[in-house]
Amino acid sequence: MPLSTAPISPFAPLPLEALPPLPPLQLAVVGHVEVVTFLEVEHLPRPGEILSCPSALELPAGGGAVVAVQLARLLGRPVPFFTALGRDAVGEQAAAALTALGLDLQVAWRQAPTRRGLTFVDRSGERTITVIGERLSPEAADPLPWESLAGLDGVFVTAADVAALRQARAARLLAATPRVRLPVLQQAGVRLDALIGSGLDPAEQVPPGALDPAPTLRIATAGAAGGEAWPFGAFLAPPRQRPVLDSYGAGDSFAAGVSAGLAAGWEAALAISLGCHCGSACLDGRGPYAGQLHAGQLRGGSDAVTAPD
């Protein structure tokens, strides 16, 4: 995977129209789902306060789902998504919705509740998330077509056990988020081509030297300030012409764009630029999917896989 050799600080993302078209890629995602209720509020509730919510939205989301849908939209075709869901009405409905969103769903069904979440989105577009229940993760012991990951152009992982993460390493490129959890990343002992997470979220901090082998590229995002990539350098977020509508899913959309670019063999500058545009586009819609970048918006792109109304 070619990377820029000299750190650039700060790097301004290239315009979307300056990026090359993505080649046909075979990508997959291994990760988790949370069925999230999005509540639009003026501000976070104060103790004892009753708030009015002018609109609410319920969608299957979580990092794995958001990355997978963004990849499907960038490629213009379904993307395999290895996940786990509870064998309940919530899980069944989530599976149907994710398939409609353009995913080739590979589900390990559990005799446990599907995880849910509640997200307040205030008038600044900032999201505050509460998750409800245990995160369900796909595991190597699940009867899923793990052998199909071998030889893919890239796999992104948000949740897995140690053996499943090792299975994913059979792809040409392996990227992950720290939300896989540090003990799993350490015990798997596999080389990550990219580790992409939030530099602002304490749960996503990975101390330098914590992983052996070290990731080839490590990125910590910082919201509107851009972020930092090692060994690439600092980068800026694209300038915005509109206020942020909803920040939920922006970081995961960024990770999807970077991973697609790296899987295409792009240098880090191009891959990070695509990630920045994916993250920024996500800020323009309610929920994680309405604003996501799609193939028709890329140079030489095909028709998009679109979400239902």
Side-chain angles (χ1 to χ4, degrees):
M1 179 181 66
L3 291 175
S4 300
T5 56
I8 304 172
S9 181
F11 168 75
L14 298 173
L16 186 60
E17 59 272 17
L19 300 179
L22 285 170
L25 294 170
Q26 298 295 323
L27 304 176
V29 176
V30 178
H32 66 291
V33 174
E34 294 150 5
V35 175
V36 179
T37 300
F38 296 88
L39 301 177
E40 180 185 348
V41 295
E42 279 290 308
H43 57 265
L44 287 180
R46 292 183 282 268
E49 183 177 18
I50 297 175
L51 289 181
S52 174
C53 174
S55 68
L57 180 67
E58 185 169 274
L59 292 168
V66 175
V67 171
V69 173
Q70 178 62 94
L71 289 176
R73 288 175 167 175
L74 289 174
L75 299 179
R77 63 175 181 275
V79 161
F81 179 35
F82 290 58
T83 192
L85 293 169
R87 180 67 81 177
D88 53 19
V90 175
E92 297 279 2
Q93 292 166 7
L98 290 168
T99 300
L101 282 164
L103 303 185
D104 174 11
L105 214 57
Q106 306 295 328
V107 182
W109 293 101
R110 302 272 190 260
Q111 297 304 317
T114 300
R115 196 185 204 193
R116 306 199 64 162
L118 185 66
T119 295
F120 289 99
V121 182
D122 65 23
R123 60 183 172 186
S124 73
E126 185 56 86
R127 88 289 184 272
T128 303
I129 306 168
T130 300
V131 292
I132 306 165
E134 178 186 357
R135 184 177 75 168
L136 303 181
S137 301
E139 300 175 354
D142 292 321
L144 301 176
W146 294 107
E147 68 283 354
S148 66
L149 300 180
L152 293 185
D153 295 306
V155 174
F156 192 92
V157 182
T158 73
D161 66 353
V162 169
L165 187 58
R166 290 172 177 163
Q167 291 267 26
R169 182 58 275 181
R172 187 172 56 81
L173 177 131
L174 177 60
T177 168
R179 278 174 286 172
V180 173
R181 296 177 178 158
L182 186 57
V184 174
L185 294 170
Q186 291 174 321
Q187 292 171 36
V190 298
R191 176 183 55 82
L192 297 176
D193 296 285
L195 180 66
I196 307 170
S198 169
L200 305 177
D201 186 344
E204 297 191 29
Q205 305 311 300
V206 177
L211 298 181
D212 184 18
T216 304
L217 179 67
R218 185 162 61 95
I219 299 178
T221 59
E228 183 103 12
W230 296 269
F232 177 75
F235 59 91
L236 303 173
R240 289 188 53 78
Q241 306 302 317
R242 296 177 294 278
V244 173
L245 194 59
D246 186 347
S247 62
Y248 185 101
D252 294 313
S253 296
F254 168 86
V258 173
S259 299
L262 294 176
W266 293 1
E267 291 187 351
L270 297 180
I272 290 172
S273 293
L274 178 57
C276 286
H277 290 295
C278 289
S280 183
C282 184
L283 299 172
D284 290 330
R286 289 288 182 200
Y289 307 122
Q292 279 184 325
L293 204 63
H294 57 76
Q297 295 169 275
L298 303 178
R299 195 172 77 179
S302 59
D303 292 336
V305 177
T306 57
D309 294 335

